[in-house]
Amino acid sequence: MTDDMRHTIRTEGRAHRTTSQGEEIFLWEKPSSADGPTRGTILFIHGSSMASQPTFDLQVEGMPEASAMDWFATRGFHTWCFDCRGYGRSYKGDDVWATIADGAADAAAASDHIREHTPGPLLVYGISSGALRAAAFAQNHPDRVSRLALDAMVWTGDGSPTLTERRKKLDQWRGTTRRPTNETFMWSIFERDHPGTVHERFAQPFIDQVLALDDSMPNGTYIDMCANLPLVDPEKLPMATAILRGEYDGIAGMDDLLAFFKLLPNADKEFTVMPGIAHASFAQKNFLLVYQILHSFYSRPAPEYRGEAS
């Protein structure tokens, strides 16, 4: 990794609020800090067990590059994330299950707000259940997404040892809208697939910043991923799409994702296996590799020639 790819500056963030299905959601914006025109607007969508800012704007002393938002803002991208209802600074009533469909609706509401500030189609990134939320949003609103990156995703759930274990608690998840979270559970995210992949300077700050916002998480995505897959149709994603899968990911089955990938209709697509990475890509020792993959995908020009229509 070159020094240029490591260089990152802190960017001042701006808090926003809007509503989704009548309930408040929190958005966090970090605009481009580079000279010249913006290279695009990225919308980051978080997973099942943490709100958006710890995932995408992680603050680690002396390491501004720990924040994906700061890293991309330094390189000319306008960046946004939001808390799905049930998480962080968004509405967290006991009536919120925070299903994949709910998250897709929240992403649509966030995109409505973002387009008021930065018009044009979005570069969308989602991780884990956030990838399912991102894909469902893109399926519902294909005109709003120019490039879609899906990281640590499942399609049917086949070949996922983590989901196999999680299904044993399905009745428990269905019995209440929320499950408690704590430091032990957060550490399990880093240790369950392949101990040693997490960045030693990122893990504790990430855990602390997650728990500062939430002491429980909604169960909707757990139920969906254990009982209701598949939830998205790859043939209804016409935009350029990248599938990212960590080498040691215990949720995202390789064959499951390859089958999904083959059905994507746009030939402008890529499948990337990320070496030395488990499930939580941005908190891994190899996090800069993930950034560079996304930077390349989001910076790529559209094809000038497509061939004859069939």
Side-chain angles (χ1 to χ4, degrees), residues 294-307:
L294 289 174
H295 184 276
S296 174
F297 178 65
Y298 287 151
S299 302
R300 185 174 305 156
E304 292 187 14
Y305 175 74
R306 285 285 192 171

Side-chain angles (χ1 to χ4, degrees), residues 119-153:
L122 298 167
L123 307 165
V124 176
Y125 170 89
I127 184 166
S128 191
S129 67
L132 285 170
R133 290 165 167 146
F137 161 61
Q139 181 173 304
N140 295 339
H141 301 279
D143 58 310
R144 301 189 188 187
V145 181
S146 61
R147 288 186 170 268
L148 176 66
L150 305 174
D151 187 359
M153 194 184 82

Side-chain angles (χ1 to χ4, degrees), residues 17 24-27 46-54 82-93 178 209-218:
R17 301 221 174 237
E24 189 173 70
I25 61 171
F26 170 86
L27 300 93
H46 67 83
S48 296
S49 298
M50 61 288 296
S52 61
Q53 281 179 281
F82 69 96
D83 293 342
C84 292
R85 283 170 295 157
Y87 297 85
R89 295 181 173 90
S90 291
Y91 174 76
K92 290 195 288 191
R178 300 186 72 85
Q209 288 167 47
V210 168
L211 296 180
L213 294 172
D214 292 292
D215 60 8
S216 65
M217 300 293 171

Side-chain angles (χ1 to χ4, degrees), residues 278-292:
H279 190 66
S281 301
F282 287 175
Q284 305 284 282
K285 290 174 178 174
N286 293 344
F287 73 102
L288 286 171
L289 182 153
V290 189
Y291 290 179
Q292 196 166 32

Side-chain angles (χ1 to χ4, degrees), residues 243-267:
I243 307 295
L244 287 71
R245 197 256 182 194
E247 177 184 8
Y248 299 117
D249 195 334
I251 286 185
M254 182 75 78
D255 291 341
D256 189 38
L257 291 178
L258 285 169
F260 182 92
F261 178 78
K262 289 177 181 178
L263 294 174
L264 292 168
N266 193 329

